[in-house]
Amino acid sequence: MLKKIPNILTIGRIIIVPFFVLAFYLPGFYGDLTACVLFVIASFTDFLDGMLARMMGEESKLGELLDPIADKIIVATALILLVMSGTIKHYEVIAAIIILTREILISGLREFLARGQIKLPVTNLAKLKTFLQMVAIALLLTGETGNKILNFQDYNAQTIGIILLWLSAFLTLYTGYEYLRKGIDHAMSEDNKSK
């Protein structure tokens, strides 16, 4: 049973999504708090399931398949809800588009490289990007409640969340480019072999 914990955590992260969506639409303090807490729990299980799988030596094909899917579902859902509610608006939407585009790009690259038995390791910069992205989204999910708790003159929870979202978007562009370059190099070397 212990060996299955990483996969249970990953599946749990997918199961959280509909409850997260419902919580997002709850009004006031409890809605803000519940949506934020569910997102933080989902983000933490992302870190925890990978760590446990490595510690227990239980890195499975199922986990390899489900983990990136679970990550993308929760992030995409949160960003779409924040755009719909007007929390992320105007030019800020570009940051959300950059993050979502990169997620699709990396999924395609991993699938392509997997055919050649090539792994795309996660860099420390990519880990930092993920951390900043999760903190940014969590802060934005706190809504007006977050603004009352976290407020330093011109900087409240929403302002800090948007700044971190842009920062993670810039890191997304950089790390996405690095991954794409590796994928293109591999594709070109494969084309040259077949000539």
Side-chain angles (χ1 to χ4, degrees):
M1 182 62 189
L2 281 173
K3 292 181 178 181
K4 293 179 181 173
I5 288 174
N7 287 344
I8 291 167
L9 288 172
T10 304
I11 293 163
R13 199 153 73 251
I14 296 169
I15 292 167
I16 281 176
V17 173
F19 297 101
F20 166 68
V21 174
L22 287 171
F24 185 86
Y25 286 106
L26 290 174
F29 173 81
Y30 292 107
D32 294 342
L33 188 67
T34 309
C36 179
V37 167
L38 286 174
F39 183 81
V40 169
I41 289 168
S43 301
F44 183 68
T45 61
D46 176 27
F47 160 76
L48 196 62
D49 62 11
M51 187 185 74
L52 287 174
R54 285 187 295 275
M55 276 173 53
M56 296 173 176
E58 284 299 319
E59 293 172 287
S60 65
K61 290 293 175 190
L62 181 63
E64 208 175 304
L65 169 73
L66 291 178
D67 189 57
I69 292 170
D71 299 345
K72 284 161 186 54
I73 290 171
I74 192 77
V75 169
T77 302
L79 288 173
I80 290 165
L81 289 172
L82 288 166
V83 169
M84 277 176 56
S85 68
T87 304
I88 298 174
K89 57 186 183 292
H90 308 309
Y91 293 115
E92 297 156 4
V93 175
I94 294 168
I97 291 168
I98 289 169
I99 290 165
L100 288 175
T101 303
R102 189 249 193 206
E103 297 299 340
I104 295 163
L105 173 76
I106 297 303
S107 293
L109 271 175
R110 284 190 195 282
E111 189 180 326
F112 168 71
L113 292 172
R115 290 182 208 152
Q117 304 287 305
I118 294 167
K119 290 196 181 266
L120 205 57
V122 179
T123 64
N124 286 333
L125 204 57
K127 287 177 185 174
L128 174 63
K129 182 273 311 176
T130 301
F131 175 74
L132 290 176
Q133 179 182 291
M134 296 307 190
V135 173
I137 293 170
L139 282 171
L140 292 171
L141 287 168
T142 61
E144 283 307 310
T145 303
N147 287 341
K148 288 173 189 165
I149 296 166
L150 194 64
N151 201 325
F152 307 106
Q153 294 176 347
D154 294 335
Y155 296 95
N156 57 27
Q158 302 301 285
T159 312
I160 296 166
I162 291 296
I163 291 166
L164 291 177
L165 190 73
W166 274 113
L167 189 55
S168 63
F170 285 122
L171 285 175
T172 290
L173 282 173
Y174 181 77
T175 56
Y177 166 75
E178 286 295 305
Y179 286 141
L180 183 61
R181 190 173 56 78
K182 285 177 189 173
I184 290 169
D185 287 348
H186 173 68
M188 287 175 76
S189 68
E190 288 295 308
D191 286 342
N192 289 334
K193 282 179 197 172
S194 61
K195 283 179 184 175

